[in-house]
Amino acid sequence: MTAEMLEPAVDLQWETVCPLDRLQPERGVAALLPDGVQVAIFRTHDGAVHAVGNVDPFSGAAVLSRGIVGDRAGVPTVASPVYKQVFSLVTGRCLDDADVTIPVFPARVTDGWLQVGLP
Amino acid sequence: MVVGGGLLGLEAARALRLLGLSPQVVEIAPRLMPVQVDEGGGALLRRLVESEELAVRCGVSVQEIVEDRGRLLAKLSDGVELDADVVVFSAGIRPADGLARTAGLPVGERGGVLVDDRCRTSDERVWAVGEVAALEGRTYGLVAPGYAMAEVVADRLLGGDARMTPAEIDMSTQLKMLGVDVASFGDAQAVTPGALEVVVNDPVAGTYAKLVVSDDAGTLLGGVLVGDASKYAVLRPLVGAALPADPVAMIAPGGVELGADALPDSAQVCSCNAVTKGAIRAAIADGAHTVPAIKGCTRAGTSCGSCVPMLKNLLVQEGVEVSKALCEHFSQSRAELFEIVAGAGVRTFTELVGRYGRGRGCDICKPAVASILASLGSGHVHDGEQATLQDTNDHFLANLQRNGTYSVVPRIPGGEITPEGLITVGEVARDFGLYTKITGGQRIDMFGARVEQLPAIWRRLVDAGFESGHAYGKALRTVKSCVGTTWCRYGQQDSVGLAIALELRYRGLRAPHKIKSAVSGCARECAEARSKDFGVIATETGWNLYVGGNGGFTPRHAELLASDLDTDTLVRVIDRFLMFYIRTADRLQRTAPWVEAMDGGLDHLRAVIVDDSLGICADLEAAMEAHVAGYADEWRGVLDDPEKLERFVSFVNAPGTPDPTIEFVSERGQPVPVPRSGEPHQPVAIGMPGVRA
Ligand code: SF4
């Protein structure tokens, strides 16, 4: 599933972050958005882009962009580099602790540039 | 002269021999280790002991020791007079029964507080168990009788009527003496009326085995094993049970192989903790599907460990498949993946997971494959797709700390550093606002660096001649050293020189887990080499090599692998050791559990890497030569490559802006992360000087 399919009807403010080729497949980057919002952006092996909150809820450190990208039963994931909990890149749910979720942001590619949607 | 030919006496004699003395062992009984072995076993043992250049005199006692012109003269019962410089007594234990004596409780003739068959002393309010208790005047120096006594007392305190009968006390032991396996169990001396003895004695192979069976040859009563005690784990639990096979075939080489299925449920598999086969089967049925799980819920195998092979056996018999799958993406173990990568020449994760696994990997298999690729020499760890496999430490070549900053550790080989080097490190730390601390591995750790600072910090360090210390990697960390002959009055070899040479040889070597090492200049061991994965201790003529030690959660001393090696041989054996470990260990398995889990343990390891029993040593050495030749400093590799430098930014859209969530406070004059919210930050020490209020 790509982020474009999730694009909601409400008006989003699209922030242009970087050229798509700054994203190595299966590696993340962090971006600083207005109001100090930090997002972690990933490009998976199939070419899809995902954006989630960069702050790891378990440690409080803004480091999720530096986690290892992979999959659990086919769901694309990132593992926190601090205490190794795994999060779904699609829903933001922590797959090791059902009570914890990280924010998910819409992401898209326009003219070779990566954009993240903010409400 | 050593008085007493038991286990400790013989070990003492050997230690004296290693110091260059010629000890005589004097034993009052007609054979060595009289409690554990019988006459036949004793004869073999004596031969093996004498081949270690220890003189043995059995069946004689020491009548008198007199001083004679500065030396000691021991007069023996057979009229012989022995001249000695040192006399070591190792003639039995003496219970620490002082408390009982002060309290006025009667003690046994040979010490130990006297107890009855309820383990009660003469004062009915006082009970005694273990080595201090003299049951019918006799004390027992083994753990199993101690536990049995504790059970009796517990039962009595709860109003039961349990009793200890000396005849039932389990004196089974298995031990290794001067490298010789010795085991005895049950009625080893065949004192049961009518008992029959079945003996297989092979003086050529150096093995002796005896089974004691009941007069109708139907029940196993006990036995003695010398030279090869591998059957102990299966034979001991059979004591008291019907013989499952012909007794000769049970101990003859090439005879029947007895497995766990030969045991009745009532048989004790773990005699130290009195755990029966039935109890273990029940635990397996309740979901204890690994040896550690069985240990955890039954305590079997937690004391002497001799029943652990039997526990594995039982798991197999109960149909438990021990999965070796690395993770959901690979059904293979790390060692199997290593063979695939090395053998099939696969060089990318995508190809490996496509051909031999499924999915896109995870934080378990990706770093494991990254480590395998690095061990096989695949260029810089950030080259191409390899960069995506690295965990954050290997990805930023620094150690992630809890607030998202990193720590930086330049290599300081052997812990030797010049004043200029120290000044550089100090200036870098000061200029970048880093917290500094001396590590346990004799180097300096600088904390609090943000990702975007790392290249500038390393530019300074590399320009001053430093290189990556690999503190971030599952790799060789440090080779600590003491000052050895360079400075120390006691030094026997140049420990600093060797430590530096070893650290430079193995720097950058990626492995299943971190590898630590140390070199001490003499047996005083100031470098703590025996707490390392491989530790070297100088001797008068060369080096002793110890392997499989570590500190950490389960501390363990390294064990002697080879002694008095010259430097070239030492390096060759370490080359083989490390490469064999890298090829065959599990993911995140340190050398200690790796050696422990190996079939045949340290002896097997020695056979493979010292005696080349598998014929792979040339291969292992060549692999290490390739590593040494291919080494390049990882940080220099990053600084020289603009593409690799690109990732060292805080934000892809604001590369120079520091992460606003990172904040420091000052503590003892240095920056530290702000305490976690909800967790008041308090100094831990109480009543220690210098701690702020
Ligand atoms: S181990 Fe020996 S040589 Fe090294 S410092 Fe200690 S006493 Fe000196």
Side-chain angles (χ1 to χ4, degrees):
Chain A
M1 159 172 15
T2 63
E4 284 91 327
M5 292 161 62
L6 286 179
E7 203 174 302
V10 293
D11 270 353
L12 284 174
Q13 180 196 335
W14 287 98
E15 289 289 332
T16 300
V17 173
C18 65
L20 179 65
D21 57 19
R22 273 301 306 272
L23 253 76
Q24 182 173 15
E26 301 193 327
R27 217 51 269 191
V29 295
L32 188 60
L33 300 183
D35 300 327
V37 175
Q38 288 196 33
V39 291
I41 307 164
F42 304 93
R43 179 171 163 191
T44 45
H45 188 68
D46 57 10
V49 289
H50 299 272
V52 296
N54 193 31
V55 175
D56 166 28
F58 293 95
S59 63
V63 292
L64 288 183
S65 64
R66 306 178 207 154
I68 288 181
V69 178
D71 80 281
R72 233 186 228 184
V75 177
T77 57
V78 64
S80 164
V82 188
Y83 300 118
K84 317 293 177 193
Q85 290 89 355
V86 170
F87 298 89
S88 159
L89 291 179
V90 180
T91 62
R93 282 257 309 282
C94 175
L95 303 182
D96 296 317
D97 183 341
D99 296 337
V100 178
T101 306
I102 51 172
V104 180
F105 300 86
R108 70 181 185 194
V109 179
T110 310
D111 296 334
W113 285 81
L114 190 115
Q115 295 184 316
V116 175
L118 291 179
Chain B
M1 181 174 84
V2 175
V3 182
L7 170 73
L8 296 177
L10 291 169
E11 291 290 3
R14 178 159 78 155
L16 293 171
R17 179 79 200 94
L18 290 177
L19 289 173
L21 307 179
S22 316
Q24 299 255 357
V25 178
V26 178
E27 168 60 50
I28 189 165
R31 58 179 180 274
L32 295 172
M33 302 182 78
V35 183
Q36 287 86 8
V37 305
D38 62 346
E39 213 185 307
L44 170 63
L45 200 55
R46 177 174 186 148
R47 243 189 53 228
L48 295 169
V49 166
E50 285 174 341
S51 70
E52 296 269 331
E53 297 176 56
L54 302 178
V56 177
R57 290 170 181 277
C58 288
V60 291
S61 61
V62 180
Q63 304 286 348
E64 192 185 1
I65 300 177
V66 294
E67 221 184 308
D68 179 37
R69 278 161 288 151
R71 290 169 64 88
L72 297 168
L73 198 64
K75 301 188 174 166
L76 306 185
S77 56
D78 58 357
V80 172
E81 296 195 344
L82 287 181
D83 191 21
D85 296 310
V86 185
V87 177
V88 176
F89 276 92
S90 175
I93 57 163
R94 180 165 305 165
D97 54 10
L99 185 63
R101 287 175 193 266
T102 335
L105 297 173
V107 294
E109 204 178 308
R110 307 192 58 184
V113 49
L114 282 178
V115 296
D116 60 14
D117 61 0
R118 295 165 296 179
C119 297
R120 189 179 255 192
T121 67
S122 66
D123 183 329
E124 61 175 31
R125 294 160 304 174
V126 182
W127 310 72
V129 300
E131 289 165 288
V132 80
L135 186 68
E136 295 192 357
R138 184 170 168 204
T139 53
Y140 296 87
L142 293 176
V143 65
Y147 288 162
M149 290 183 211
E151 299 262 336
V152 167
V153 173
D155 182 73
R156 288 280 171 174
L157 291 177
L158 294 171
D161 56 3
R163 279 175 197 286
M164 283 297 287
T165 28
E168 284 170 14
I169 287 180
D170 186 357
M171 292 296 287
S172 302
T173 38
Q174 180 188 20
L175 38 94
K176 206 182 203 57
M177 202 268 320
L178 311 186
V180 181
D181 283 314
V182 177
S184 75
F185 50 95
D187 180 11
Q189 312 290 357
V191 296
T192 311
L196 305 173
E197 298 179 58
V198 176
V199 175
V200 175
N201 189 1
D202 183 347
V204 180
T207 60
Y208 173 89
K210 178 182 84 173
L211 292 185
V212 179
V213 300
S214 59
D215 51 3
D216 60 355
T219 310
L220 182 65
L221 299 176
V224 173
L225 303 169
V226 177
D228 174 9
S230 57
K231 294 217 164 93
Y232 174 75
V234 55
L235 288 174
R236 197 205 41 73
L238 279 171
V239 170
L243 282 169
D246 171 33
V248 176
M250 285 164 65
I251 49 176
V256 290
E257 277 300 322
L258 292 175
D261 48 343
L263 299 178
D265 268 354
S266 60
Q268 269 191 13
V269 170
C270 171
S271 65
C272 297
N273 297 298
V275 188
T276 60
K277 174 179 164 187
I280 293 166
R281 284 185 48 205
I284 296 173
D286 281 349
H289 284 175
T290 61
V291 171
I294 296 177
K295 283 182 174 179
C297 62
T298 66
R299 300 192 50 230
T302 54
S303 296
C304 80
S306 67
C307 63
V308 169
M310 197 59 140
L311 300 181
K312 289 187 188 154
N313 210 317
L314 277 169
L315 278 170
V316 174
Q317 192 199 326
E318 295 300 305
V320 175
E321 286 237 3
V322 184
S323 168
K324 50 186 175 43
L326 191 57
C327 63
E328 70 172 78
H329 305 100
F330 289 100
S331 59
Q332 300 87 344
S333 68
R334 179 195 172 278
E336 287 168 338
L337 283 180
F338 191 101
E339 289 310 316
I340 290 173
V341 174
V346 178
R347 277 296 177 274
T348 68
F349 180 82
T350 295
E351 187 186 348
L352 188 69
V353 79
R355 277 174 62 186
Y356 300 94
R358 67 201 70 85
R360 283 308 303 169
C362 62
D363 60 317
I364 293 172
C365 59
K366 282 186 166 178
V369 171
S371 161
I372 292 171
L373 291 171
S375 296
L376 286 167
S378 309
H380 196 280
V381 292
H382 294 169
D383 280 349
E385 196 198 48
Q386 272 189 82
T388 70
L389 310 179
Q390 311 294 351
D391 73 12
T392 189
N393 284 4
D394 278 309
H395 194 226
F396 290 102
L397 306 181
N399 292 49
L400 179 70
Q401 302 299 333
R402 69 171 172 85
N403 66 343
T405 62
Y406 290 81
S407 73
V408 171
V409 186
R411 185 167 298 290
I412 300 178
E416 187 185 77
I417 184 165
T418 61
E420 282 70 31
L422 277 173
I423 289 167
T424 303
V425 171
E427 285 179 344
V428 167
R430 185 195 56 208
D431 296 351
F432 289 89
L434 306 176
Y435 166 104
T436 51
K437 192 166 189 313
I438 308 294
T439 73
Q442 301 185 337
R443 44 195 193 173
I444 302 166
D445 205 340
M446 293 176 267
F447 289 78
R450 301 188 307 271
V451 262
E452 71 275 17
Q453 293 179 306
L454 290 170
I457 290 170
W458 274 103
R459 183 82 266 164
R460 295 261 300 265
L461 292 170
V462 167
D463 286 348
F466 285 102
E467 56 180 19
S468 165
H470 292 96
Y472 47 79
K474 306 286 180 239
L476 178 87
R477 295 284 173 83
T478 66
V479 184
K480 285 170 67 168
S481 68
C482 73
V483 289
T485 43
T486 318
W487 289 96
C488 181
R489 283 175 292 153
Y490 304 109
Q492 290 185 310
Q493 308 284 347
D494 176 13
S495 45
V496 186
L498 180 72
I500 294 174
L502 292 177
E503 185 159 340
L504 294 180
R505 182 168 181 82
Y506 304 123
R507 63 188 163 179
L509 182 67
R510 291 292 204 291
H513 210 311
K514 60 189 170 192
I515 301 171
K516 298 183 175 184
S517 177
V519 182
S520 278
C522 80
R524 289 170 187 77
E525 244 284 70
C526 296
E528 299 168 330
R530 290 197 63 198
S531 65
K532 303 299 177 195
D533 294 281
F534 66 97
V536 182
I537 301 178
T539 65
E540 219 171 292
T541 53
W543 308 99
N544 283 355
L545 174 60
Y546 295 81
V547 297
N550 58 231
F553 191 66
T554 6
R556 190 174 185 278
H557 267 139
E559 290 179 281
L560 183 65
L561 182 76
S563 30
D564 287 322
L565 304 174
D566 61 64
T567 307
D568 286 348
T569 312
L570 173 80
V571 170
R572 215 165 47 235
V573 175
I574 300 174
D575 281 3
R576 298 168 177 180
F577 169 74
L578 291 175
M579 272 301 162
F580 191 47
Y581 165 62
I582 287 169
R583 290 196 174 179
T584 60
D586 274 339
R587 162 186 173 267
L588 299 187
Q589 185 179 41
R590 288 209 46 191
T591 56
W594 172 67
V595 175
E596 218 163 274
M598 200 176 281
D599 265 342
L602 189 70
D603 291 336
H604 175 70
L605 178 66
R606 190 179 290 117
V608 173
I609 65 173
V610 180
D611 309 330
D612 202 7
S613 62
L614 300 180
I616 58 171
C617 285
D619 213 31
L620 298 173
E621 284 170 31
M624 188 60 82
E625 285 306 332
H627 162 76
V628 173
Y631 169 81
D633 175 25
E634 282 168 0
W635 260 107
R636 184 182 285 277
V638 167
L639 296 175
D640 291 348
D641 182 345
E643 222 172 274
K644 292 192 171 76
L645 275 171
E646 243 184 13
R647 75 171 57 93
F648 291 87
V649 293
S650 50
F651 299 105
V652 68
N653 60 343
T657 309
D659 174 354
T661 69
I662 296 174
E663 288 175 291
F664 296 101
V665 294
S666 173
E667 186 173 273
R668 292 180 289 274
Q670 294 211 77
V672 295
V674 285
R676 289 196 181 111
S677 55
E679 234 179 72
H681 187 62
Q682 281 166 352
V684 204
I686 294 166
M688 279 175 59
V691 175
R692 298 161 311 126

